[in-house]
Amino acid sequence: MLLVSSITPSGRTWALEAAIASIPSATVLDSADAISSSTALQIAEAFQVAGATTASPDLVASIGSFAAVSSLTSMFTRAQADGKACVALFPESVAAAVSDLQSLATLFDVSGIVAPDSGGMTEVLNTAMAIQRGEIELLLVCPPEESAVEAAMREIAAATACGVRVRGLAVCPMPRKSDGWPKFIRQAARDLVDRLEQGVHPIPVQRARGGMAPSFGDEGFEVCTPMVSEVADGQRVWSITIPGLSHSDVAVGTWTADPAYPTTHVVLNVAGCIARRRVDATLRRCVPIDVVVSGDSIAITFEPQPDQWPIDLPSSGGTGAGDG
Amino acid sequence: MDEVERPPWWLSGDDSANEKPASDPGEGTSEPNWMSLLGSLGSLAGEWWAASGAGDHGNHAAPAEHPECIVCRALVTVSAPDEQPKVLPAVRWLPIRRL
């Protein structure tokens, strides 16, 4: 399924055009349908309080998050049922929705409350796994405008940090000479596209040409995969490169879902979206001692925690696999 | 254009704007069954509450003598400060060096 999203509301038409140009045979799903008819709305209505004069921003944000996750899950479930290539216009931030969906999936996973026939839970987990496998892609559209380009780089960084496969970034519409735009404005727009290309490299960036939305092949940027390499004294370095990271706020941490181990996940907060990356069996027995962020890359150095290693087993020579 | 002043949606109780057309009962849906999910959680909570024996708590004079009662157990836990709740640790955010 290809999710199309636009940084500005006016770009949604371009987003759909770019998606259809990219996959001409795709069925277009209407996300507005998913939201309005979903039970999320009924739940929101259930929170009506007669006589109340204020609504908690947390509550509103929670309902919004629930609606976005529900919409994403519904669309993927419908796309799966259709069994054909589908395009869906997603009116919210895809990165934020994926981040919330993955948090929900992690909650289900950690709490162990998933039953085979538990409806929504199973579908949330299916959607989270599809994102991991790269079956849900993002095509983002932004206008050639300074703040929109910055926002696009943050959205790309957050989405790729969450493991979303990005098919491409379209810049639409470009100012045209035939429409009477002066040369300096056309040049400024082209300079912004160049900056965007450098900012989100290696994600494909294309601009509208001749008033037509660009099309993207399926050679989009693969899911960001972390690497683990062993350095001196049994220390290991977990590293990941995230396009657009240098233009985004970032926080790095570790978390454990299993009290038996010091670390089960690396947690990234990229542009306000939380991404959790599960670590392999070796890093589970290690603790972080240093974090370096350089450009678009993050490197975390781990050292073995002695009480997690049998005396006779050296802490070096682990599996080295990442994101297991 | 004249605008009719309407009370906020959460105050009015008027949900006519959000009314959906009646759907065909035979029509399948591919959406997650969220209400069913919440309903099952509520049902589970109800069964757990009933099984906990909490309904009989009113007759329990000494909480320590009724470990089967969830309310008594909570009271005993609260009054024993050495008992640390077993919770998953929060995210440990790390200082970042920028190069």
Side-chain angles (χ1 to χ4, degrees), chain A residues 9 57 97 103 105 148 151 179 232 234 290 292 317 320:
Chain A
S103 294
D179 291 335
D290 186 35
V292 173

Side-chain angles (χ1 to χ4, degrees), chain A residues 39 69-70 73-74 77 119-121 123-124, chain B residues 29-35:
Chain A
T39 318
V69 168
S70 169
T73 309
S74 301
T77 306
M121 284 187 196
E123 292 178 5
V124 164
Chain B
T29 174
S30 58
E31 289 173 13
N33 193 354
W34 295 99
M35 285 311 278

Side-chain angles (χ1 to χ4, degrees), chain A residues 11 16 24 29 55 79 96 132 157 163 193 202 227 229 254-255 258 267 271 276 285 289 317:
Chain A
L16 262 185
L29 297 178
Q132 236 177 15
V193 177
M227 290 176 59
S229 52
T254 56
W255 180 66
D258 182 347
V267 183
R276 290 176 187 78
R285 295 169 169 81
I289 55 170

Side-chain angles (χ1 to χ4, degrees), chain B residues 47-64:
Chain B
E47 285 170 22
W48 171 79
W49 182 252
S52 70
D56 300 329
H57 174 70
N59 303 324
H60 301 164

